[in-house]
Amino acid sequence: MPLDEYRRKRDRGRTPEPIPDTDPERSGPGERFVIQEHHARALHWDLRLERDGVLASWAVPKGLPVDTETLRLAVRTEDHPMEYLEFSGEIPAGEYGGGRMAIWDTGTYETSKWSAREVAFTLHGERARGSYVLVRSDQQRRDGWLLKRTDRTDRSPLPRETSPMIAAPGELPTGDDWLLQVRFGGRRVLVAVDGGRTVVTHEGDEITVKTLEGLGPSLGATTLLLDAELTGSGELWISDLLFLDGHDTAAVGFAQRHRLLEGLPLAGAHWRLAPVYPGDTGPAVLDAVRGQGLPGLTAKRADSPYLPGRADPSWIAVGEAAPAPATPPGRARLTNPRKVLYPLTGTTKSDVLAHYRAVAPVMLPHLAGRPVTMVRWPDGVEKPSFFEKDVSRHAPSWIRTERVGTPGGRSESADFPLIESEEGLAWAANLAALELHVPQWTVGPRGGRHLPDLVVFDLDPGEGTTVVDCCRVAEAIVDVLAEDGLVGYPRTSGGKGLQLYLPVSVTRAEQTIEFAREVAETLAERSPRTVTSVMAKARRRGKVFVDWSQNNTAKTTIASYSLRGRARPTVATPVTWDEVRACRKPEQLTFTLDDLPARLDEYGDLLEPLLFTDRQRLPRRG
């Protein structure tokens, strides 16, 4: 029955929650909803929609998304009785869902779709207003769903990365158009709070601060990004506000940003606002600060915007130990150079930077004009990674970005970086962007998208096969290409497989994928025991999969000379056809960053023909 699971989990003698004796008899859609802020073992929000006489319920760990780009995990829980629409209170510790529960919002809603895999609805509440969709996720746990906002808003997602504004050393200014903020000599940190979770970063690296564990839950559903100082005793002195509830606040003046800070509940056991005084009190305040042994003041013009990573005369560091810019503006900076990103080999971030600098002369021509998708391992290859396409919120001004459509992605388009200099590679290395992926097409100087200029055959060894088997298939592809007078150039993937590239000229974007598929199917017909052109894993056992789909204009492949996020720092390395033909052991075609300098000395760029040879016209096979 609808409420059997609900009753089974609760003891009416211990919990104040409503526990009806009977089940509802009505069916069909409802119109009421409630969202409860639930401070249980972990803060989350319970979304409950009236349906069939009960409240269909989802636990949303980070709350409703406020923008259309953010996806939130939602976990389907047991149905709740209608009486829960008005429930708030303390569920005793030790009971199911123990902790404080408060009504965050309530109101009515409309359903536009309700199925076993998708629920689309529009909320009409005081705080929750807008259209959303819940979609069952096959990649999550059995009861896992994804929650997305579907109507347009003026809200933006929380920036993933930025850097603190820098105060230039100087004398104490005069005038009432300045505000004076006390400095405490702690580490400069950025503090992001989203869905009750707190992330603290120092010089681009996430750090754990036990004293701040309660900050996120104390702010509830408020999303913000703070500039602050963290003292050695774990005290956080908050100095500025960069983002608040879907809105970038960096462009407004400091006086207004500080008023916003004062309106937030930011006075906790270990966190509070840094004191701010009027500019005309400067000498007295500076004397008091020095008398307490503090390093000094930051004088900020009342109308000064927040300029991430930049020094500006509108901020002046007054007193001893004034912070100075660590790097001239417009230069890439390496933070935590000794951080180990490949624990098995002890390879550090500094080693990664050295690799990209070493290969820059041969790598950059292959990146030119190609929007880059970065795969980042901020905590090293043994920890989780994430793909990053849109860098609009943290890329420095000297990194060129282009807005490119992303069909099937979280948003319709994204601002991709173009890595066109050694400095750009250094920027990517500092982000622990070990892998750089690019499409088989380029964009022009004004962002116009060109037709594909490369065809790639991605040879992926199935279970029971290795790169050695890929080499034999590559040789067979050479024979098929020769029938059409075409030439391909081989490269390791840096993983288990091998790739072949052809420089081509086409009149339609679809030509490359059509041609690659025809070649793959031809090979599969000629060698059905060793080759497959079908993606299904079950069909690839003991065979090499010729992946023609990588020529889809929405897809990317690893860039030449890019590192891979594997146990060892392997590299996507161009090879000679002699090496392909001679390969009998996988290690013969496995190269790490330590191998690249000698190879470049011996061979130079083996893929140079992709850049400078005449583009080959693709025939129509059949």
Side-chain angles (χ1 to χ4, degrees), residues 171-181 253-257 259 276-282 298-305 312-316:
E171 299 298 320
L172 184 67
T174 58
D176 56 8
D177 52 350
W178 290 87
L179 293 171
L180 309 176
Q181 192 164 53
F254 172 66
Q256 185 176 346
R257 296 198 302 274
R259 285 195 293 271
V276 171
Y277 298 94
D280 56 8
T281 63
T298 300
K300 301 180 178 181
R301 285 188 63 92
D303 60 355
S304 62
D312 189 86
S314 62
W315 279 25
I316 301 174

Side-chain angles (χ1 to χ4, degrees), residues 61-82:
K62 289 189 175 183
L64 298 184
V66 299
D67 60 85
T68 57
E69 297 181 30
T70 300
L71 285 175
R72 289 276 163 86
L73 173 67
V75 179
R76 184 73 160 93
T77 60
E78 74 277 8
D79 293 338
H80 282 51
M82 292 299 298

Side-chain angles (χ1 to χ4, degrees), residues 123-142:
L123 299 179
H124 303 287
E126 290 295 322
R127 305 171 78 174
R129 303 182 67 86
S131 298
Y132 302 84
V133 62
L134 282 156
V135 180
R136 182 73 176 269
S137 172
D138 293 329
Q139 296 180 350
Q140 300 290 342
R141 45 189 283 182
R142 177 179 57 83

Side-chain angles (χ1 to χ4, degrees), residues 443-461:
V443 294
R446 297 184 180 179
R449 184 160 156 172
H450 296 159
L451 290 171
D453 59 354
L454 294 172
V455 168
V456 60
F457 294 98
D458 188 7
L459 309 184
D460 187 3

Side-chain angles (χ1 to χ4, degrees), residues 266-296:
L266 289 171
H270 299 283
W271 56 88
R272 60 192 61 84
L273 300 184
V276 171
Y277 298 94
D280 56 8
T281 63
V285 173
L286 185 57
D287 286 344
V289 165
R290 285 171 170 166
Q292 296 180 49
L294 296 174

Side-chain angles (χ1 to χ4, degrees), residues 329-342:
R331 301 288 299 175
R333 183 165 67 100
L334 190 67
T335 59
N336 279 7
R338 297 182 181 177
K339 185 169 187 176
V340 175
L341 297 180
Y342 293 86

